[in-house]
Amino acid sequence: MKHLIEPKDLTDQEVDGILDLADRIIADPKTYAHKCDGKKLATLFYEPSTRTRLSFEAAMLELGGSVLGFSSADSSSAAKGESVADTIRTVQCYADIVAMRHPKEGSAKVASLHADIPVINAGDGGHQHPTQTLTDLLTIRRLKGRLDNFTIGLCGDLKFGRTVHSLIRMLLRYPNISFVLISPNELRVPDYLRAELEAKQAKFKEVERLEEIIGELDILYMTRVQRERFFNEEDYVRLRDSYILDMDKMKMAKDDMIVLHPLPRVNEISVEVDSDPRACYFKQALCGKYVRMALMLKMLGLD
Ligand code: CP
């Protein structure tokens, strides 16, 4: 793969290769500590981020490379009206690989069309977030020991949630996965994704109440209702607390269910849940660094 814009850019073999390499890095980080000596990662973040930007940067630093970039559009020449195309043409004069987040769907694709260096989509609006998906796969594989034969509940904002869109697309490649899509009616998965689930004859159902089905789940993937994607503050306020995972609901879940969340969370997981051993979202954030190390090594041909 030259660029990573969405999950379909990765073959099944490439996904396996990235996850296997991430496991090897976790087991033996010293072997990889100088693999990217002399290499530079540019992080072009037109939209806020904590985990994605910092885990990309930590990943490159732990591989021996360097990082440069910006963390908001305001601090770049985008504020003066520079296009994504011109920005990427410029940045490739200074860096070997780019991770880019942008509020507009399709922006990373536009960047890749003008880039001679690899471009990684670090989230484009409500569209896709493929490195979060690799993070999710690594976390599930390490905690559950498999990427097949489970029931996953995806809960919250399934309409605008790019992490959910990328994860569903990727999990459709694996056998015997049942999807339970838990959302208010207004925040159901987009039609194109429901059509993909139907076309692949995936087992899936759409429900509104988490309590009804939490006992069936092997994995519960919570998401935030994203204020920044709403056109109307009233709708956001009405929907933001649709789901709050607390210990009363956790008591209804299986003993070996795991709770994931791409984070940041607002109210959708009570802090009391953090001390439950099934709460795995901070382990997931750590997996994000290792999977991005593996991804960059692969994309730079240094694995
Ligand atoms: N998961 C995720 O994308 O988090 P950030 O917005 O903090 O990068």
Side-chain angles (χ1 to χ4, degrees):
M1 113 229 48
K2 162 103 191 198
H3 307 290
L4 176 57
I5 308 303
E6 53 180 302
K8 76 174 170 51
D9 295 330
L10 293 166
T11 64
D12 295 351
Q13 279 173 331
E14 285 172 330
V15 173
D16 288 346
I18 292 163
L19 301 184
D20 291 347
L21 179 55
D23 280 337
R24 292 199 295 279
I25 295 169
I26 292 168
D28 181 17
K30 278 193 183 150
T31 296
Y32 300 89
H34 294 285
K35 288 273 188 186
C36 282
D37 282 357
K39 296 292 179 193
K40 283 176 275 181
L41 163 71
T43 49
L44 312 184
F45 277 62
Y46 295 81
E47 200 184 53
S49 166
T50 296
R51 274 144 297 275
T52 309
R53 186 171 66 83
L54 296 182
S55 65
F56 261 115
E57 295 186 356
M60 183 50 93
L61 293 172
E62 290 191 25
L63 292 167
S66 312
V67 297
L68 65 162
F70 52 83
S71 58
S72 72
D74 289 354
S75 62
S76 79
S77 284
K80 304 176 207 159
E82 187 168 50
S83 67
V84 164
D86 284 0
T87 301
I88 204 81
R89 283 192 191 105
T90 305
V91 169
Q92 69 184 2
C93 302
Y94 315 137
D96 301 287
I97 187 165
V98 164
M100 182 178 132
R101 171 170 291 187
H102 198 287
K104 276 202 187 139
E105 292 80 2
S107 297
K109 179 73 185 170
V110 170
S112 73
L113 295 174
H114 295 90
D116 296 325
I117 61 171
V119 173
I120 303 169
N121 180 8
D124 61 331
H127 186 220
Q128 299 283 331
H129 192 348
T131 65
Q132 180 64 47
T133 299
L134 290 169
T135 300
D136 301 338
L137 293 189
L138 181 66
T139 311
I140 294 169
R141 202 173 79 162
R142 287 183 69 81
L143 295 175
K144 286 290 195 190
R146 64 185 192 279
L147 287 173
D148 53 19
N149 294 297
F150 56 69
T151 299
I152 182 167
L154 299 128
C155 178
D157 177 1
L158 309 187
K159 179 179 180 183
F160 299 112
R162 60 193 174 200
T163 62
V164 167
H165 303 164
S166 289
L167 183 57
I168 291 174
R169 270 206 170 149
M170 186 61 86
L171 288 178
L172 278 171
R173 299 179 184 199
Y174 296 91
N176 201 23
I177 295 183
S178 298
F179 298 88
V180 184
L181 308 174
I182 310 149
S183 71
N185 195 38
E186 293 99 316
L187 297 178
R188 291 169 69 191
V189 291
D191 289 343
Y192 80 88
L193 210 46
R194 191 174 301 101
E196 285 185 33
L197 285 155
E198 284 165 354
K200 294 259 168 78
Q201 298 183 321
K203 281 181 268 176
F204 77 98
K205 60 183 172 186
E206 296 184 83
V207 300
E208 289 205 35
R209 281 172 50 82
L210 176 58
E211 297 88 321
E212 270 173 30
I213 49 73
I214 192 168
E216 299 172 22
L217 306 178
D218 301 303
I219 300 166
L220 173 57
Y221 194 96
M222 295 295 294
T223 64
R224 176 175 63 99
V225 175
Q226 302 170 88
R227 177 182 225 143
E228 63 272 28
R229 309 275 176 238
F230 280 79
F231 293 113
N232 173 331
E233 178 74 6
E234 250 175 56
D235 287 345
Y236 168 70
V237 170
R238 185 168 48 82
L239 294 168
R240 66 182 171 190
D241 290 332
S242 297
Y243 302 101
I244 298 179
L245 180 66
D246 56 18
M247 284 314 294
D248 286 340
K249 293 194 187 76
M250 288 295 281
K251 283 181 194 142
M252 301 178 212
K254 292 181 186 174
D255 290 342
D256 65 349
M257 184 189 79
I258 58 172
V259 182
L260 302 181
H261 190 313
L263 302 176
R265 72 157 150 206
V266 185
N267 286 328
E268 61 276 8
I269 302 180
S270 300
V271 289
E272 63 181 4
V273 176
D274 295 358
S275 52
D276 188 297
R278 294 170 290 180
C280 298
Y281 24 92
F282 292 109
K283 289 182 186 166
Q284 185 183 1
L286 180 59
C287 281
K289 179 183 70 172
Y290 291 115
V291 93
R292 291 178 175 108
M293 290 171 82
L295 175 66
M296 287 192 286
L297 285 175
K298 291 276 183 192
M299 293 184 86
L300 291 167
L302 297 171
D303 52 312

